Amino acid sequence: MGAAYFYHLTRRPLQDTLPVLLDKARGAGWRIAVRGQSRDRMAWLDERLWLGGDDAFLPHGLAGGPHDALQPILLTTEAEAANTPSCVMAVDGAAVSPEEVQALERVCILFDGTDPEAVQHARVQWKTLTDAGCSAQYWSEESGRWEKKAEK
């Protein structure tokens, strides 16, 4: 049974935080799906990941290509990712179900702490997932480094 990790972004934007988390997940040997709600936003993240430099290369692809099933990291807007991920990283309020959390190794929910709607949406996701019996952790970077602030 997996767990949901909530990342409250307040100091660094998504495009800076996501590569760090993707690198850690790849280090665990996982295939990852980065799930968003907008194809344009996923294309924008795809560009940012390619600009990471040689020392920070993260092999990935944008869903819709001929090799989606082979991608170690697949950026998608779909609930079912073709690369059969062990980890899903939900961004921009993308939906995550309790069944998914329980079936995967890890689900990471990254949300913009400067956006009150995103914070409220993350609270609803936390309650929905924990009420369904999912293990969850809340991480904050408010102090300047990531700290676990809550666990259920």
Side-chain angles (χ1 to χ4, degrees):
M1 184 160 103
Y5 282 43
F6 287 74
Y7 292 94
H8 189 163
L9 308 179
T10 55
R11 292 184 172 255
R12 283 174 236 120
L14 176 64
Q15 65 268 23
D16 292 345
T17 304
L18 184 61
V20 173
L21 294 175
L22 289 171
D23 189 52
K24 288 183 183 287
R26 289 289 301 142
W30 297 339
R31 285 181 176 264
I32 305 118
V34 177
R35 181 184 303 151
Q37 297 196 79
S38 158
R39 174 98 175 142
D40 288 343
R41 176 75 158 165
M42 292 294 96
W44 180 83
L45 280 173
D46 177 48
E47 287 179 26
R48 294 306 164 283
L49 290 175
W50 285 117
L51 297 173
D54 292 340
D55 60 335
F57 175 71
L58 291 166
H60 71 281
L62 186 60
H67 304 291
D68 286 359
L70 301 174
Q71 296 294 341
I73 300 168
L74 185 64
L75 284 71
T76 184
T77 58
E78 301 298 321
E80 296 293 323
N83 67 338
T84 316
S86 301
C87 175
V88 166
M89 296 197 182
V91 301
D92 301 333
V96 175
S97 72
E99 297 78 20
E100 189 172 30
V101 172
Q102 293 167 349
L104 296 169
E105 293 288 332
R106 174 100 24 100
V107 170
C108 299
I109 298 170
L110 292 78
F111 61 99
D112 182 350
T114 65
D115 178 349
E117 288 181 27
V119 171
Q120 182 57 35
H121 183 72
R123 286 183 178 138
V124 170
Q125 285 181 304
W126 173 275
K127 182 162 178 30
T128 300
L129 295 175
T130 58
D131 284 355
C134 296
S135 174
Q137 294 182 9
Y138 166 72
W139 291 80
S140 171
E141 63 175 347
E142 191 173 44
S143 71
R145 63 182 188 85
W146 286 105
E147 296 177 335
K148 182 169 47 169
K149 298 288 191 171
E151 186 169 11
K152 190 164 183 181

